[in-house]
Amino acid sequence: MDETKIAARGWLRQQGRLARRGGTPVVACGLAGTVLAVGQAACAAAVLDAALARQALPLLPLIAFALFALLRAGLGVLSERAAFDAGAAARRRLRTDALTRLLAAGPALLRRYHSAELTTVIVDRIEAVDGLFSRWIPAAALAIAGPVLVALAVLLADPLAAAILAGAGVLVPVAMALSGIGAAAASRRQFAALTHLQARFLDRVRGIATIVLAGRAEDEARALGGAADELRRRTMRVLRVAFLSSAALDCAAALALVVLAIRYGAQLAAGTLERPGEALFVLLLVPEFFVPLRAFSAAYQDRMHALGAAEALTGLPLPPPPAPVLPVRTVAARGVSVAFDDVRLTWDPTRGPALDGLTFRVPAGETVVFAGPSGAGKSTVIEILLGFVRPESGRVTLNGADIATLVPQALTRLIAWIGQRPVLFAGSIRDNIRFARPEATDAEVTEAARFARVDAFAADLPQGLDTAVGEGGYGLSGGQAQRVAIARAFLKNAPLLLLDEPTAHLDPATEAEVLDSLRRLTIGRTVILASHSAAAHAFGGRRIDIRAGRVVPARGVA
């Protein structure tokens, strides 16, 4: 068994221990229902004995039978509600844990996982675990306690019949174990097919313009259809395995019922059946003996689904290691110096270190331009400063305070970041600017828009700054969206400004306008700019060349 399966099984055992308390009400209701079923069978046997003896039908057993039926119905409702609550609580706990781990890993997580894969884990795979908590854990307890209660009741009436029931019951777990091995493998393959389809669909939606221009629309449609058909086949295989398990249980129940019916029928024909009511009592309890086993059989598939999902959940990144045991600090909001001291970080061991002993210092109020080829480590520096990733070794400080010891909210207030593709939300331009500081007044938002020259193009829009834009900035050009991002930085007024390829994908004329707005933004701030653009390198300030994650002597100062 590989490490992934071992980890998944260990995770399931751990979750089972956590969820037993939530499943207790379901087990209690199930056991109470079994006791009431035994009572109903006893009432029916009493009525049959009276009928065969040509006596008046006893009123008390009839009333008790009806009362027990009502109580069982009520217990069924309570059991379903308790099972739903247990599953909902477990899903809420798992999603909170998974999202906490993803948020702690930060955007750097997308270097290792496709966004569709993460979505599948958070949504579909946690939903697949629901049955483990709402059905499997209670059913596993009832599959032992329920048949034992029924067998004890039958034992008092007919010991041989109890032995026959026990023998048939033993056959059920054997058949389930054989079908369960196939169910787990089929479930894993189904999840893999689902992940493949979601990732492929999302990629094609993102690149639909390129697909159409390349004339590949029909080919991609056929490929998506093939992926969907593969998911259909995998799903049907899971259902086939589930039906095999159900068929094995039905065969065991039918076998027990037929054997007992033949035995009592032979006694009745020979005239040796002394108490027909007891025979009816035993026959009525045969289905009740297999009810918990039937629920267990159905829930067994839930466990197999959960095992397949657990392999994905245990593969999520672990929470980051705890920060060093140092006093938590803040730093002064005016004037921020940045220092990297022998910082090392590796994203992928097969590709070598992203930062290999990087050391530099940026005094407060200075502008530094990082130069270097793609993969040199420029963006990694910015991700560390944003708190998205923690270096493996070395020290990163802001005003002499280790970044790992800073209060996260304080770090957020210190930094403004502008990337190459600003994220804009569906809403007005004003709301998108105010996102940087929600408590800002309309006057402050308008002033930030003026500094970033957003008002220059907003004046031509139907409602000015209140004009609505679509998700992702739909309706604005790349340069206009970048100006909105600059306006956010003006409004936030943070002392440390991080610029990661802020003029990428812009034409020269728009690039010049954006750089002019950025120059105004950098006044009085510490600025770290990472860019390949020659125009950005003429931005001003000291230049630091990075190669293979290390500082090399600069070839010139812009």
Side-chain angles (χ1 to χ4, degrees):
M1 186 181 295
D2 58 29
E3 294 182 1
T4 301
K5 292 181 180 179
I6 294 175
R9 292 184 184 277
W11 183 87
L12 286 180
R13 286 193 294 270
Q14 178 189 20
Q15 295 300 320
R17 288 191 295 269
L18 293 174
R20 282 195 182 99
R21 179 176 297 179
T24 300
V26 184
V27 175
C29 289
L31 291 178
T34 301
V35 172
L36 291 175
V38 173
Q40 283 187 293
C43 292
V47 171
L48 178 63
D49 277 338
L52 292 176
R54 300 182 181 279
Q55 299 175 356
L57 295 180
L59 185 60
L60 184 60
L62 291 175
I63 296 175
F65 185 91
L67 181 61
F68 291 162
L70 290 175
L71 291 176
R72 288 188 71 186
L75 286 173
V77 173
L78 293 177
S79 177
E80 289 292 330
R81 183 172 299 174
F84 175 82
D85 291 341
R91 281 182 282 126
R92 185 163 53 247
R93 174 171 52 81
L94 291 176
R95 280 210 174 90
T96 300
D97 176 69
L99 288 172
T100 299
R101 292 163 70 175
L102 295 184
L103 291 174
L109 186 67
L110 296 177
R111 293 175 179 264
R112 292 181 289 163
Y113 296 89
H114 194 286
S115 56
E117 182 181 0
L118 295 176
T119 302
T120 301
V121 172
I122 296 298
V123 179
D124 298 316
R125 303 219 171 187
I126 289 181
E127 286 295 325
V129 180
D130 174 76
L132 177 74
F133 304 99
S134 61
R135 292 183 292 273
W136 162 256
I137 292 176
L142 288 172
I144 298 175
V148 167
L149 280 178
V150 175
L152 288 175
V154 173
L155 182 65
L156 297 176
D158 188 346
L160 182 57
I164 294 173
L165 278 180
V170 170
L171 297 177
V172 176
V174 175
M176 288 172 54
L178 294 176
S179 63
I181 296 173
S187 179
R188 284 194 297 270
R189 289 192 290 268
Q190 182 203 27
F191 275 125
L194 176 62
T195 300
H196 173 70
L197 175 62
Q198 289 179 322
R200 188 179 187 92
F201 181 76
L202 182 59
D203 281 339
R204 271 50 182 183
V205 168
R206 287 173 173 171
I208 192 168
T210 303
I211 292 172
V212 172
L213 290 175
R216 299 279 298 173
E218 293 184 2
D219 294 336
E220 290 300 329
R222 283 193 294 270
L224 283 172
D229 191 59
E230 177 67 15
L231 176 61
R232 178 189 63 80
R233 288 196 296 270
R234 300 294 186 191
T235 303
M236 294 306 298
R237 287 173 185 170
V238 173
L239 293 176
R240 283 200 294 270
V241 174
F243 288 146
L244 286 175
S245 177
S246 177
L249 188 145
D250 290 336
C251 288
L255 177 64
L257 187 60
V258 168
V259 169
L260 290 174
I262 291 176
R263 176 171 176 266
Y264 290 130
Q267 291 178 357
L268 182 62
T272 59
L273 185 63
E274 299 178 357
R275 290 178 292 183
E278 286 188 357
L280 177 63
F281 174 75
V282 171
L283 291 176
L284 288 176
L285 287 183
V286 171
E288 296 298 335
F289 179 86
F290 287 95
V291 164
L293 294 175
R294 190 179 302 278
F296 179 73
S297 176
Y300 194 72
Q301 309 305 319
D302 291 320
R303 182 182 181 276
M304 294 300 103
H305 290 320
L307 181 61
E311 294 180 7
L313 290 169
T314 54
L316 290 177
L318 295 174
V325 183
L326 296 172
V328 178
R329 303 176 58 185
T330 60
V331 299
R334 292 191 177 184
V336 176
S337 63
V338 178
F340 275 52
D341 183 13
D342 195 29
V343 174
R344 300 177 186 274
L345 176 66
T346 300
W347 293 111
D348 184 355
T350 62
R351 301 178 61 183
L355 298 181
D356 187 14
L358 183 65
T359 301
F360 67 86
R361 179 177 174 80
V362 182
E366 184 177 71
T367 295
V368 168
V369 180
F370 281 103
S374 296
K378 303 185 301 297
S379 295
T380 302
V381 170
I382 291 180
E383 290 187 10
I384 289 176
L385 289 172
L386 289 170
F388 293 162
V389 64
R390 186 176 297 172
E392 297 164 358
S393 63
R395 192 163 182 259
V396 179
T397 61
L398 300 181
N399 281 0
D402 194 311
I403 194 172
T405 66
L406 294 180
V407 178
Q409 292 81 358
L411 181 63
T412 301
R413 287 195 298 268
L414 287 173
I415 297 175
W417 169 67
I418 300 176
Q420 50 184 301
R421 286 189 175 91
V423 177
L424 300 185
F425 306 98
S428 68
I429 297 174
R430 186 185 302 277
D431 290 339
N432 272 280
I433 296 174
R434 184 180 273 114
F435 182 77
R437 189 156 59 89
E439 70 277 8
T441 64
D442 285 343
E444 290 172 326
V445 173
T446 301
E447 184 181 29
R450 180 172 58 83
F451 287 151
R453 297 185 178 177
V454 174
D455 57 347
F457 70 83
D460 297 328
L461 298 177
Q463 299 178 19
L465 292 179
D466 294 316
T467 301
V469 297
E471 185 176 354
Y474 182 79
L476 298 181
S477 67
Q480 291 171 341
Q482 200 67 292
R483 288 190 188 183
V484 174
I486 296 172
R488 283 177 178 167
F490 269 114
L491 183 63
K492 188 172 185 180
N493 196 27
L496 176 58
L497 178 62
L498 305 179
L499 307 174
D500 188 7
E501 301 284 0
T503 59
H505 315 298
L506 300 181
D507 61 82
T510 305
E511 180 183 34
E513 294 177 356
V514 170
L515 287 175
D516 183 60
S517 295
L518 287 175
R519 287 191 185 92
R520 301 181 64 186
L521 177 61
T522 60
I523 297 174
R525 293 179 171 85
T526 304
V527 182
I528 294 179
L529 167 64
S531 179
H532 293 98
S533 170
H537 288 174
F539 191 72
R542 178 163 59 99
R543 171 170 167 160
I544 297 178
D545 286 290
I546 299 181
R547 298 288 189 280
R550 300 179 66 90
V551 174
V552 298
R555 289 179 288 183
V557 178

